Amino acid sequence: MLNGSTHHTILHGHLFCGLGGGAKGFNAAKARHGTLSADFECLGGIDVDPAAIRDFERLAGVPGTVLDLFDRGHYRTFHGTEPPADWREAGPQDIHRAFGFRRPHILFLSAPCKGFSGLLSERTSRTPKYQALNRLTLRGIWLTLEAYKDDPIEFILFENVPRIATRGRELLDQIVALLRAYGYAVAETTHDCGELGGLAQRRKRFLLVARHARKVRPFLWEPPKRALQGVGDVLSRMKLPGDAGAGPMHRIPRLHWQTWVRLAFVEAGKDWRSLERLAVQHGLLRDYALVQDTPGCSPAASEIPDPRPSNHRKFANIYHVVAWDAATSTVIGRSQPSDGAMSVADPRPGLARGKGDDYLTAGHYGVVRWKDGCGAVSAAAGHDNGRWAVADPRPPLPAHDDRLISVIRAEDGTWHRPFTTAELACLQSLFDPEEQAELDGLNDTAWRERIGNAVPPDAAQAIAEAMGRTLLAAWSGESFMLSAAPIWVRPIAIAASVDLPLYQ
């Protein structure tokens, strides 16, 4: 309850905090209700990954705690071995210690989601290893409930991938039953982080909202939705990839030559399936060739071996290329375009020549269309003299498995290239585009996994402000209110105003 002041501080703590995107967003939040206002203070975060905790401390501005929340049995199941001699099971006292022996008003957790992700097959998700990983969520929530059972946390928020509502149904039912036993009213909902945070990506997520029914009686409002940006709105504010002052996270990844060719033929806004439009004769593309686009080179066209990939399982988003003015789909932790990581159709001419040339290892090329099946080639993809001719011998192209960086101007005139790691971090709103992205370590694969798992701070800020408004109303003694703002979960709007569990 309030102490007579009009300004207050809402305390938040984070389980499975990752690199601290959620904590950074909560810290930026401001809440207001009537004459009351509040800011937010982070008490700490808990994660098993030391590198993630070092990132957390940089982004959240407070100490984090490296802590393994497995029990011994699940540790053995997940790792396939006994824990080290100095390992011990975490207890409620460790939760108190991690949060500086203070009680948060909001607990936010984004638990490991690999077992629920559509990127993992149903069969693999049901193996004992991933079942043990999934149960970390249940144990983490139980430890926290026990730690604060004498003075419960007002809100517990559990964020995860949408598929958890089906693939993790049994686990969710256990979590809901546990929360109800400790006096919480529970609702399940989904939201799009892109719309909440005004991001340049669509990021659908599951959110379980647990409200302590005795402490928090008012409605929980839905955060306002914001318009999505195009990826170009973010990327155009950044330095060009490869710029000497951009830092190690803003490098173009080295890809197999065949991958560069495939990306060049994927139409912007589509994925590998657009390659099925290509006509092939005798193992070569019938209608297209590649021309070297480098000053001083004699213009000559090279025939292109069939670039179409075999994707027998028909996964979507493989070799996906995002249009410059469109929002991307969910930023994930995968590294390569061939396993789900996305690319962008970049129209900026400065990327074809100028800054960054020193790190290009295979020159510049342009996609051109054969004219009427004869030797002449029509102008395309940024070539402006209109007089290409085939010269023999044709210049050799790199081998399909050469790993390099190359600019290939696609038929639409843009460079279809992977996002840099720094760009993914900015699309997640972890950093402002004008600042240099910097995370712990020097490993792009590890960086991308932590970035893909992160909660976008701009979306977390919107969620925190909705929670904060409700807390201020509750602390002022209100138990029911009407508002033009939408209720977060409409079917439970009436039940949300009474002191009853909401999950029946």
Side-chain angles (χ1 to χ4, degrees):
M1 299 296 290
L2 301 182
N3 56 13
S5 174
T6 59
H7 188 77
H8 306 276
T9 300
I10 296 173
L11 307 178
H12 56 99
H14 298 260
L15 281 185
F16 313 108
C17 62
L19 56 70
K24 179 179 180 179
F26 270 65
N27 280 344
K30 304 291 182 183
R32 179 171 293 279
H33 178 69
T35 60
L36 304 178
S37 63
D39 54 19
F40 288 71
E41 178 185 347
C42 183
L43 298 181
I46 297 171
D47 201 280
V48 72
D49 181 2
I53 287 297
R54 289 191 288 271
D55 289 333
F56 174 89
E57 292 177 341
R58 182 182 293 115
L59 292 179
V62 297
T65 300
V66 179
L67 184 63
D68 190 341
L69 297 180
F70 274 130
D71 63 25
R72 185 173 293 272
H74 288 138
Y75 184 103
R76 287 195 300 263
T77 301
F78 182 77
H79 292 284
T81 184
E82 289 289 337
D86 61 349
W87 184 93
R88 65 176 180 82
E89 288 187 2
Q93 71 279 2
D94 295 299
I95 306 296
H96 280 292
R97 186 177 297 109
F99 294 153
F101 299 97
R102 301 168 72 189
R103 182 184 66 82
H105 301 116
I106 302 174
L107 177 75
F108 188 89
L109 61 147
S110 185
C113 60
K114 287 183 179 179
F116 308 121
S117 171
L119 300 173
L120 198 69
S121 70
E122 180 77 20
R123 180 178 180 181
T124 302
S125 73
R126 294 188 177 278
T127 60
K129 175 179 179 176
Y130 282 101
Q131 290 300 307
L133 182 65
N134 295 344
R135 294 186 69 80
L136 263 178
T137 306
L138 184 64
R139 177 166 168 77
I141 291 174
W142 172 74
L143 288 172
T144 308
L145 291 171
E146 276 294 294
Y148 299 104
K149 62 183 179 182
D150 295 329
D151 189 9
I153 297 170
E154 281 83 344
F155 277 119
I156 296 177
L157 308 178
F158 169 40
E159 196 242 28
N160 212 278
V161 296
R163 195 178 291 260
I164 192 176
T166 53
R167 184 175 280 187
R169 186 69 261 165
E170 181 180 353
L171 177 65
L172 279 179
D173 289 343
Q174 294 178 54
I175 291 173
V176 167
L178 179 65
L179 288 165
R180 289 183 60 192
Y182 280 80
Y184 285 85
V186 182
E188 297 176 20
T189 185
T190 58
H191 63 275
D192 187 333
C193 288
E195 293 178 341
L196 296 188
L199 307 178
Q201 68 164 310
R202 291 195 175 277
R203 190 178 183 87
K204 295 291 182 64
R205 304 294 284 182
F206 167 90
L207 187 69
L208 182 148
V209 181
R211 168 182 62 82
H212 196 269
R214 178 171 53 82
K215 284 190 167 185
V216 184
R217 303 283 299 276
F219 291 147
L220 177 61
W221 290 283
E222 179 179 289
K225 294 180 179 179
R226 298 165 60 186
L228 296 176
Q229 302 182 67
V231 294
D233 295 330
V234 177
L235 273 54
S236 61
R237 295 164 54 194
M238 303 177 69
K239 293 181 178 179
L240 292 178
D243 187 293
M249 293 181 64
H250 202 25
R251 301 171 298 193
I252 298 292
R254 294 177 181 270
L255 306 177
H256 289 135
W257 169 254
Q258 188 175 52
T259 299
W260 285 113
V261 174
R262 286 170 175 168
L263 290 177
F265 282 99
V266 172
E267 298 164 281
K270 298 184 180 180
D271 61 15
W272 69 275
R273 287 166 289 193
S274 76
L275 298 176
E276 295 181 332
R277 67 189 168 88
L278 299 174
V280 177
Q281 287 182 348
H282 310 299
L284 301 171
L285 292 191
R286 184 190 67 190
D287 303 319
Y288 295 95
L290 285 181
V291 177
Q292 281 194 310
D293 187 21
T294 305
C297 289
S298 175
S302 295
E303 294 173 315
I304 306 170
D306 182 3
R308 296 174 299 176
S310 57
N311 185 5
H312 301 300
R313 300 183 67 182
K314 305 299 183 184
F315 283 128
N317 288 330
I318 303 299
Y319 300 107
H320 184 81
V321 176
V322 182
W324 187 252
D325 59 356
T328 185
S329 52
T330 302
V331 172
I332 61 175
R334 299 296 183 94
S335 298
Q336 298 293 335
S338 57
D339 63 9
M342 291 165 293
S343 300
V344 60
D346 196 328
R348 295 175 292 181
L351 286 169
R353 288 198 182 88
K355 291 184 178 180
D357 269 8
D358 56 331
Y359 75 95
L360 297 177
T361 61
H364 297 75
Y365 298 83
V367 171
V368 294
R369 183 182 287 271
W370 295 109
K371 183 178 181 181
D372 301 326
C374 63
V377 179
S378 64
H383 304 294
D384 55 8
N385 65 4
R387 297 190 307 275
W388 293 110
V390 176
D392 284 318
R394 295 185 179 94
L397 297 175
H400 75 279
D401 57 352
D402 283 351
R403 189 175 287 276
L404 39 80
I405 300 170
S406 183
V407 173
I408 301 179
R409 284 278 188 176
E411 197 174 14
D412 64 8
T414 68
W415 182 21
H416 295 185
R417 63 168 182 84
F419 288 107
T420 70
T421 303
E423 288 169 340
L424 294 175
C426 291
L427 291 173
Q428 281 278 66
S429 72
L430 293 169
F431 300 95
D432 289 332
E434 291 81 9
E435 66 177 312
Q436 180 175 310
E438 182 179 350
L439 294 176
D440 185 79
L442 290 172
N443 186 297
D444 274 288
T445 300
W447 285 335
R448 287 181 177 232
E449 182 173 5
R450 298 204 297 273
I451 290 168
N453 290 338
V455 177
D458 288 357
Q461 178 180 346
I463 292 172
E465 289 176 348
M467 299 291 167
R469 181 183 179 191
T470 301
L471 282 176
L472 289 176
W475 292 342
S476 68
E478 296 184 38
S479 61
F480 183 88
M481 65 191 69
L482 297 175
S483 170
I487 303 300
W488 195 315
V489 188
R490 288 186 181 277
I492 61 167
I494 296 176
S497 67
V498 297
D499 192 10
L500 293 171
L502 303 186
Y503 192 96
Q504 300 293 343

